[in-house]
Amino acid sequence: SQKIEQNSEALNIQEGKTATLTCNYTNYSPAYLQWYRQDPGRGPVFLLLIRENEKEKRKERLKVTFDTTLKQSLFHITASQPADSATYLCALGEIKAAGNKLTFGGGTRVLVKP
Amino acid sequence: NAGVTQTPKFRILKIGQSMTLQCAQDMNHNYMYWYRQDPGMGLKLIYYSVGAGITDKGEVPNGYNVSRSTTEDFPLRLELAAPSQTSVYFCASSYSTGSYKQYFGPGTRLTVT
């Protein structure tokens, strides 16, 4: 069966350190993978897209890697700040004739302590 | 631009009642989506639409209906509400190409008792 797994345990990290989140999937062939940030009581906000033929993407303090052989994406927040505290969702994108569809993982909560 | 708007923000329904969750976007996106999010979980796709007049089922469509008569609006109808439909509902929209970035509304928190 298809599965997307993110660490359900919260990640507690000291300010200034790098937070690394994992997203593993089985029985998918995604055309792309996205990462979203979700704050309590709000809708997800898009952060980064990485396509199946790309290995790494960066945006400011964020870095995403995508290994289609391992079926895994890693999401890094460098020099983390308390304002980075949120839940981070990975989502696999499939391009189909009927339209593009995203399937979300369960998310990982990150808590950055000052 | 207002982006994606959803109404109402909160609603309590009794078992068996019906309601429509409204969603509108002003970004001229052709793709629109409805998700539900249960506590501590990720989002599950209910229905989606690739343009006016075209809709398709997602992962969890049972108990819901949608229509898309205009590019801007994508209402979600709940018929015969059940406690299992207690959840937070998010509407989203996107372009069909490019970054496939989805823009989400603020959500509707629905409780069925």
Short mmCIF file of all heavy atoms in Angstrom, two decimals, chain A residues 61-103:
data_model
loop_
_atom_site.label_atom_id
_atom_site.label_comp_id
_atom_site.label_asym_id
_atom_site.label_seq_id
_atom_site.Cartn_x
_atom_site.Cartn_y
_atom_site.Cartn_z
N ARG A 61 17.52 29.91 4.41
CA ARG A 61 18.06 28.96 5.39
C ARG A 61 17.50 27.55 5.23
O ARG A 61 17.76 26.67 6.05
CB ARG A 61 17.77 29.48 6.81
CG ARG A 61 18.48 30.76 7.16
CD ARG A 61 18.21 31.20 8.61
NE ARG A 61 16.81 31.52 8.82
CZ ARG A 61 15.97 30.76 9.54
NH1 ARG A 61 16.39 29.63 10.11
NH2 ARG A 61 14.71 31.14 9.70
N LEU A 62 16.75 27.32 4.19
CA LEU A 62 16.12 26.02 3.97
C LEU A 62 16.85 25.25 2.88
O LEU A 62 17.29 25.83 1.89
CB LEU A 62 14.66 26.20 3.57
CG LEU A 62 13.78 27.04 4.49
CD1 LEU A 62 12.36 27.11 3.92
CD2 LEU A 62 13.77 26.48 5.89
N LYS A 63 16.97 23.93 3.09
CA LYS A 63 17.55 23.07 2.06
C LYS A 63 16.74 21.78 2.01
O LYS A 63 16.39 21.22 3.04
CB LYS A 63 19.00 22.74 2.38
CG LYS A 63 19.69 21.92 1.28
CD LYS A 63 21.16 21.67 1.59
CE LYS A 63 21.35 20.40 2.37
NZ LYS A 63 22.79 20.02 2.48
N VAL A 64 16.45 21.34 0.80
CA VAL A 64 15.72 20.10 0.60
C VAL A 64 16.54 19.20 -0.31
O VAL A 64 17.11 19.66 -1.30
CB VAL A 64 14.34 20.36 -0.07
CG1 VAL A 64 13.69 19.04 -0.44
CG2 VAL A 64 13.45 21.15 0.84
N THR A 65 16.60 17.91 0.03
CA THR A 65 17.18 16.92 -0.86
C THR A 65 16.12 15.90 -1.22
O THR A 65 15.15 15.71 -0.47
CB THR A 65 18.39 16.22 -0.22
OG1 THR A 65 17.95 15.52 0.95
CG2 THR A 65 19.48 17.22 0.16
N PHE A 66 16.32 15.27 -2.36
CA PHE A 66 15.33 14.32 -2.87
C PHE A 66 16.07 13.15 -3.47
O PHE A 66 16.82 13.32 -4.44
CB PHE A 66 14.46 15.03 -3.90
CG PHE A 66 13.21 14.29 -4.31
CD1 PHE A 66 12.71 13.23 -3.59
CD2 PHE A 66 12.50 14.69 -5.44
CE1 PHE A 66 11.55 12.58 -3.97
CE2 PHE A 66 11.34 14.06 -5.83
CZ PHE A 66 10.85 13.01 -5.10
N ASP A 67 15.92 11.97 -2.90
CA ASP A 67 16.58 10.76 -3.39
C ASP A 67 15.50 9.77 -3.81
O ASP A 67 14.88 9.13 -2.97
CB ASP A 67 17.47 10.17 -2.30
CG ASP A 67 18.36 9.05 -2.80
OD1 ASP A 67 17.91 8.29 -3.70
OD2 ASP A 67 19.47 8.91 -2.30
N THR A 68 15.26 9.67 -5.12
CA THR A 68 14.18 8.81 -5.61
C THR A 68 14.56 7.33 -5.52
O THR A 68 13.67 6.48 -5.57
CB THR A 68 13.80 9.16 -7.05
OG1 THR A 68 14.98 9.12 -7.86
CG2 THR A 68 13.19 10.53 -7.14
N THR A 69 15.86 7.04 -5.35
CA THR A 69 16.26 5.64 -5.17
C THR A 69 15.95 5.19 -3.74
O THR A 69 15.37 4.12 -3.53
CB THR A 69 17.76 5.47 -5.45
OG1 THR A 69 18.03 5.91 -6.78
CG2 THR A 69 18.19 4.02 -5.29
N LEU A 70 16.30 6.03 -2.78
CA LEU A 70 15.99 5.74 -1.39
C LEU A 70 14.53 6.04 -1.05
O LEU A 70 14.04 5.64 0.01
CB LEU A 70 16.88 6.59 -0.47
CG LEU A 70 18.34 6.20 -0.37
CD1 LEU A 70 19.07 7.16 0.59
CD2 LEU A 70 18.50 4.77 0.13
N LYS A 71 13.85 6.74 -1.93
CA LYS A 71 12.46 7.18 -1.70
C LYS A 71 12.41 8.03 -0.43
O LYS A 71 11.62 7.74 0.51
CB LYS A 71 11.51 6.00 -1.65
CG LYS A 71 11.46 5.21 -2.96
CD LYS A 71 10.37 4.17 -2.94
CE LYS A 71 10.38 3.32 -4.18
NZ LYS A 71 10.17 4.09 -5.42
N GLN A 72 13.23 9.05 -0.42
CA GLN A 72 13.35 9.86 0.78
C GLN A 72 13.67 11.31 0.42
O GLN A 72 14.43 11.60 -0.51
CB GLN A 72 14.46 9.31 1.67
CG GLN A 72 14.68 10.06 2.96
CD GLN A 72 15.84 9.49 3.75
OE1 GLN A 72 17.01 9.72 3.44
NE2 GLN A 72 15.52 8.75 4.79
N SER A 73 13.10 12.22 1.20
CA SER A 73 13.47 13.62 1.14
C SER A 73 13.90 14.06 2.53
O SER A 73 13.31 13.66 3.54
CB SER A 73 12.30 14.48 0.67
OG SER A 73 12.62 15.85 0.72
N LEU A 74 14.95 14.89 2.56
CA LEU A 74 15.38 15.49 3.81
C LEU A 74 15.16 17.00 3.72
O LEU A 74 15.42 17.61 2.67
CB LEU A 74 16.86 15.21 4.08
CG LEU A 74 17.24 13.74 4.24
CD1 LEU A 74 18.75 13.62 4.47
CD2 LEU A 74 16.49 13.10 5.39
N PHE A 75 14.72 17.58 4.82
CA PHE A 75 14.43 19.01 4.88
C PHE A 75 15.25 19.59 6.03
O PHE A 75 15.15 19.11 7.15
CB PHE A 75 12.93 19.20 5.12
CG PHE A 75 12.49 20.63 5.28
CD1 PHE A 75 12.29 21.45 4.19
CD2 PHE A 75 12.22 21.15 6.54
CE1 PHE A 75 11.86 22.75 4.34
CE2 PHE A 75 11.79 22.46 6.70
CZ PHE A 75 11.61 23.26 5.60
N HIS A 76 16.09 20.57 5.71
CA HIS A 76 16.99 21.14 6.70
C HIS A 76 16.64 22.61 6.93
O HIS A 76 16.43 23.36 5.97
CB HIS A 76 18.44 21.07 6.23
CG HIS A 76 18.89 19.71 5.83
ND1 HIS A 76 19.45 18.80 6.71
CD2 HIS A 76 18.87 19.09 4.61
CE1 HIS A 76 19.76 17.69 6.06
NE2 HIS A 76 19.41 17.83 4.79
N ILE A 77 16.62 22.98 8.20
CA ILE A 77 16.52 24.40 8.57
C ILE A 77 17.82 24.75 9.28
O ILE A 77 18.09 24.25 10.38
CB ILE A 77 15.34 24.68 9.53
CG1 ILE A 77 14.04 24.11 8.97
CG2 ILE A 77 15.20 26.18 9.78
CD1 ILE A 77 12.89 24.17 9.98
N THR A 78 18.65 25.56 8.63
CA THR A 78 19.93 25.91 9.25
C THR A 78 19.76 27.17 10.09
O THR A 78 18.84 27.96 9.88
CB THR A 78 21.00 26.15 8.18
OG1 THR A 78 20.55 27.20 7.30
CG2 THR A 78 21.24 24.91 7.35
N ALA A 79 20.66 27.32 11.07
CA ALA A 79 20.63 28.48 11.97
C ALA A 79 19.20 28.71 12.47
O ALA A 79 18.65 29.81 12.33
CB ALA A 79 21.17 29.72 11.27
N SER A 80 18.60 27.68 13.04
CA SER A 80 17.19 27.73 13.39
C SER A 80 16.90 28.84 14.41
O SER A 80 17.73 29.18 15.25
CB SER A 80 16.72 26.38 13.93
OG SER A 80 17.48 26.02 15.05
N GLN A 81 15.68 29.37 14.32
CA GLN A 81 15.23 30.46 15.17
C GLN A 81 13.90 30.06 15.83
O GLN A 81 13.17 29.24 15.27
CB GLN A 81 15.02 31.71 14.34
CG GLN A 81 16.22 32.15 13.55
CD GLN A 81 15.89 33.20 12.52
OE1 GLN A 81 14.73 33.59 12.34
NE2 GLN A 81 16.91 33.68 11.82
N PRO A 82 13.59 30.61 16.98
CA PRO A 82 12.29 30.30 17.60
C PRO A 82 11.11 30.51 16.65
O PRO A 82 10.12 29.79 16.71
CB PRO A 82 12.23 31.26 18.79
CG PRO A 82 13.67 31.43 19.18
CD PRO A 82 14.43 31.43 17.87
N ALA A 83 11.23 31.48 15.74
CA ALA A 83 10.14 31.73 14.78
C ALA A 83 9.97 30.59 13.78
O ALA A 83 8.95 30.53 13.07
CB ALA A 83 10.41 33.03 14.02
N ASP A 84 10.93 29.67 13.72
CA ASP A 84 10.79 28.49 12.84
C ASP A 84 9.93 27.41 13.48
O ASP A 84 9.62 26.41 12.83
CB ASP A 84 12.17 27.90 12.54
CG ASP A 84 13.07 28.84 11.75
OD1 ASP A 84 12.53 29.60 10.91
OD2 ASP A 84 14.29 28.83 11.97
N SER A 85 9.55 27.58 14.72
CA SER A 85 8.70 26.59 15.41
C SER A 85 7.36 26.49 14.70
O SER A 85 6.64 27.49 14.56
CB SER A 85 8.50 26.98 16.88
OG SER A 85 9.73 27.01 17.57
N ALA A 86 7.04 25.28 14.24
CA ALA A 86 5.82 25.04 13.46
C ALA A 86 5.78 23.56 13.14
O ALA A 86 6.68 22.80 13.49
CB ALA A 86 5.82 25.86 12.17
N THR A 87 4.74 23.15 12.44
CA THR A 87 4.67 21.79 11.89
C THR A 87 5.03 21.86 10.41
O THR A 87 4.57 22.75 9.69
CB THR A 87 3.27 21.19 12.06
OG1 THR A 87 2.99 21.05 13.46
CG2 THR A 87 3.18 19.82 11.41
N TYR A 88 5.86 20.92 9.97
CA TYR A 88 6.32 20.90 8.58
C TYR A 88 5.79 19.64 7.91
O TYR A 88 5.95 18.53 8.42
CB TYR A 88 7.85 20.96 8.53
CG TYR A 88 8.37 22.30 9.01
CD1 TYR A 88 8.57 22.55 10.36
CD2 TYR A 88 8.59 23.34 8.10
CE1 TYR A 88 9.00 23.79 10.80
CE2 TYR A 88 9.03 24.58 8.53
CZ TYR A 88 9.23 24.80 9.89
OH TYR A 88 9.65 26.04 10.32
N LEU A 89 5.14 19.85 6.78
CA LEU A 89 4.48 18.77 6.05
C LEU A 89 5.20 18.54 4.74
O LEU A 89 5.51 19.50 4.01
CB LEU A 89 3.04 19.16 5.72
CG LEU A 89 2.12 19.52 6.89
CD1 LEU A 89 0.87 20.23 6.39
CD2 LEU A 89 1.72 18.28 7.66
N CYS A 90 5.48 17.27 4.42
CA CYS A 90 5.94 16.98 3.07
C CYS A 90 4.75 16.49 2.26
O CYS A 90 3.77 15.96 2.82
CB CYS A 90 7.08 15.95 3.06
SG CYS A 90 6.60 14.25 3.36
N ALA A 91 4.80 16.68 0.97
CA ALA A 91 3.70 16.31 0.10
C ALA A 91 4.27 15.81 -1.22
O ALA A 91 5.13 16.47 -1.82
CB ALA A 91 2.76 17.50 -0.14
N LEU A 92 3.79 14.66 -1.66
CA LEU A 92 4.22 14.10 -2.93
C LEU A 92 3.25 14.52 -4.03
O LEU A 92 2.03 14.42 -3.86
CB LEU A 92 4.24 12.57 -2.87
CG LEU A 92 5.13 11.93 -1.82
CD1 LEU A 92 5.13 10.43 -1.99
CD2 LEU A 92 6.54 12.48 -1.90
N GLY A 93 3.81 14.96 -5.14
CA GLY A 93 2.98 15.42 -6.25
C GLY A 93 3.00 14.45 -7.41
O GLY A 93 4.06 13.98 -7.83
N GLU A 94 1.83 14.13 -7.89
CA GLU A 94 1.69 13.27 -9.08
C GLU A 94 0.97 14.06 -10.15
O GLU A 94 -0.04 14.73 -9.87
CB GLU A 94 0.90 12.02 -8.72
CG GLU A 94 1.60 11.14 -7.69
CD GLU A 94 0.72 10.00 -7.21
OE1 GLU A 94 -0.21 10.27 -6.42
OE2 GLU A 94 0.95 8.86 -7.63
N ILE A 95 1.49 13.97 -11.37
CA ILE A 95 0.86 14.67 -12.50
C ILE A 95 0.07 13.63 -13.28
O ILE A 95 0.64 12.70 -13.85
CB ILE A 95 1.92 15.33 -13.39
CG1 ILE A 95 2.72 16.33 -12.56
CG2 ILE A 95 1.26 16.02 -14.58
CD1 ILE A 95 3.90 16.92 -13.29
N LYS A 96 -1.24 13.78 -13.27
CA LYS A 96 -2.10 12.81 -13.94
C LYS A 96 -2.95 13.54 -14.98
O LYS A 96 -3.10 14.77 -14.91
CB LYS A 96 -3.00 12.11 -12.93
CG LYS A 96 -2.22 11.40 -11.83
CD LYS A 96 -3.07 10.46 -11.04
CE LYS A 96 -2.19 9.65 -10.11
NZ LYS A 96 -2.90 8.58 -9.45
N ALA A 97 -3.51 12.76 -15.89
CA ALA A 97 -4.35 13.36 -16.92
C ALA A 97 -5.52 14.11 -16.32
O ALA A 97 -5.94 15.15 -16.82
CB ALA A 97 -4.85 12.27 -17.86
N ALA A 98 -6.02 13.59 -15.20
CA ALA A 98 -7.17 14.22 -14.54
C ALA A 98 -6.77 15.40 -13.69
O ALA A 98 -7.63 16.06 -13.11
CB ALA A 98 -7.89 13.19 -13.68
N GLY A 99 -5.47 15.68 -13.58
CA GLY A 99 -5.02 16.82 -12.79
C GLY A 99 -3.92 16.45 -11.83
O GLY A 99 -3.70 15.28 -11.53
N ASN A 100 -3.22 17.46 -11.33
CA ASN A 100 -2.13 17.21 -10.38
C ASN A 100 -2.71 16.96 -9.01
O ASN A 100 -3.63 17.65 -8.57
CB ASN A 100 -1.22 18.43 -10.31
CG ASN A 100 -0.62 18.74 -11.67
OD1 ASN A 100 -0.67 17.93 -12.56
ND2 ASN A 100 -0.07 19.94 -11.80
N LYS A 101 -2.15 15.99 -8.31
CA LYS A 101 -2.62 15.68 -6.97
C LYS A 101 -1.45 15.65 -6.00
O LYS A 101 -0.37 15.17 -6.32
CB LYS A 101 -3.31 14.32 -6.95
CG LYS A 101 -4.69 14.36 -7.58
CD LYS A 101 -5.24 12.97 -7.81
CE LYS A 101 -5.34 12.15 -6.57
NZ LYS A 101 -6.08 10.88 -6.82
N LEU A 102 -1.71 16.18 -4.80
CA LEU A 102 -0.74 16.14 -3.71
C LEU A 102 -1.22 15.16 -2.66
O LEU A 102 -2.40 15.17 -2.31
CB LEU A 102 -0.60 17.51 -3.05
CG LEU A 102 0.35 18.54 -3.63
CD1 LEU A 102 0.38 19.76 -2.74
CD2 LEU A 102 1.75 17.98 -3.80
N THR A 103 -0.30 14.36 -2.15
CA THR A 103 -0.61 13.50 -1.01
C THR A 103 0.34 13.90 0.11
O THR A 103 1.56 13.90 -0.08
CB THR A 103 -0.43 12.02 -1.36
OG1 THR A 103 -1.19 11.72 -2.52
CG2 THR A 103 -0.90 11.15 -0.21
#
